[in-house]
């Protein structure tokens, strides 16, 4: 079972992967669905990032090689970030405060192993 994780740079997180909040996951799923649509891939039942699951949360605005995505924030208001694909299952977003954050969907056991290796 896959879950969404983020990695912020900075003193407090020390570059470890932590569980993402629901608005991070919604935005990533939208971006992943957009990428599949761009590649012309057919959506399969159960595939992560189903395009119809967050339709009301658009707009998605192209921004060069990235996509600006806006979804409701868990704490109220709106989460707006510019998402881009790095490689394989690794993505990043730049938030409204210009912080660059890595984000991915992964198995929690794999993330725990990565965090142990980078301690």
């Amino acid at each position: 079972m896959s879950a969404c994780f983020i990695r912020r740079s900075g003193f407090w997180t020390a570059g470890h992967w932590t569980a993402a909040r629901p608005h991070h996951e919604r935005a990533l799923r939208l971006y992943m669905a957009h990428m599949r649509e761009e590649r012309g891939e057919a959506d399969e039942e159960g595939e992560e990032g189903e395009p119809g699951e967050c339709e009301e949360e658009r707009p998605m605005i192209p921004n060069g090689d990235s996509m600006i995505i806006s979804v409701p924030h868990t704490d109220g208001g709106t989460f707006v970030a510019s998402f881009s694909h790095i490689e394989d299952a690794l993505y990043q977003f730049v938030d409204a405060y210009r912080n660059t954050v890595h984000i991915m969907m992964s198995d929690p056991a794999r993330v725990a192993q990565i965090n142990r290796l980078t301690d």
Side-chain angles (χ1 to χ4, degrees):
M1 182 175 168
S2 160
C4 189
F5 294 90
I6 61 171
R7 180 177 63 189
R8 298 180 185 274
S9 59
F11 177 76
W12 297 109
T13 59
H16 283 96
W17 289 98
T18 59
R21 299 193 58 204
H23 57 272
H24 297 136
E25 183 172 349
R26 274 188 229 113
L28 178 59
R29 287 182 181 276
L30 270 173
Y31 182 69
M32 291 167 60
H34 167 75
M35 287 186 59
R36 280 195 313 277
E37 289 172 10
E38 288 270 309
R39 292 189 304 256
E41 293 178 8
D43 290 317
E44 298 175 14
E45 180 119 6
E47 187 174 350
E48 293 178 22
E50 290 84 6
E53 76 181 33
C54 300
E55 282 299 319
E56 75 281 356
E57 296 164 350
R58 295 186 185 215
M60 296 192 316
I61 304 165
N63 184 30
D65 290 337
S66 62
M67 178 70 63
I68 297 173
I69 297 180
S70 172
V71 297
H73 195 287
T74 306
D75 297 333
T78 305
F79 171 71
V80 178
S82 180
F83 278 75
S84 57
H85 182 233
I86 297 176
E87 62 183 33
D88 299 328
L90 183 61
Y91 303 85
Q92 74 178 13
F93 67 84
V94 178
D95 66 15
Y97 303 103
R98 296 189 179 171
N99 297 313
T100 299
V101 180
H102 291 124
I103 186 167
M104 70 175 169
M105 296 298 292
S106 185
D107 177 58
R110 180 172 179 256
V111 171
Q113 180 182 21
I114 292 168
N115 283 341
R116 281 193 300 274
L117 292 172
T118 58
D119 258 349

